[in-house]
């Protein structure tokens, strides 16, 4: 039996624009930009189980039986009890 799962970020994806020289000759370092925040859903998959699946660092799988979280949405894991 297959079930819906989402693969989401447990660490934000941040992009740092390189520093450059301004017109006044001073170095300008732009602020980093968060491209994908923690919880960002990068994939949805139908899986029979998570057995044997290696999740890359900075990501996690979560069940999504209702298909509530499409790619691009933000998944919030339940609070630990």
């Amino acid at each position: 039996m297959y079930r819906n799962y989402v693969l989401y970020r447990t660490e934000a994806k941040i992009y740092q624009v390189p520093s450059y020289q301004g017109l006044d000759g001073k170095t300008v370092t732009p602020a980093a930009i968060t491209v994908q925040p923690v919880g960002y859903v990068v994939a949805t998959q139908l899986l029979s189980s998570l057995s044997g699946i290696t999740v890359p660092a900075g990501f996690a799988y979560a069940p999504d039986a209702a298909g509530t979280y499409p790619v691009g949405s933000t998944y919030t894991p339940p609070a630990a009890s």
Side-chain angles (χ1 to χ4, degrees):
M1 178 173 171
Y2 289 95
R3 297 187 174 153
N4 291 326
Y5 284 88
V6 293
L7 179 65
Y8 69 96
R9 289 191 168 279
T10 58
E11 297 175 7
K13 180 178 182 179
I14 298 172
Y15 177 71
Q16 178 64 60
V17 177
S19 297
Y20 61 90
Q21 293 287 351
L23 295 175
D24 58 2
K26 294 182 181 177
T27 299
V28 177
T29 304
I33 300 166
T34 300
V35 181
Q36 295 174 344
V38 170
Y40 184 89
V41 176
V42 297
T44 59
Q45 295 177 303
L46 283 174
L47 302 170
S48 58
S49 78
L50 294 177
S51 178
I53 294 178
T54 302
V55 182
F59 294 90
Y61 275 106
D64 182 21
T68 307
Y69 300 97
V71 171
S73 65
T74 302
Y75 172 77
T76 303
S81 53

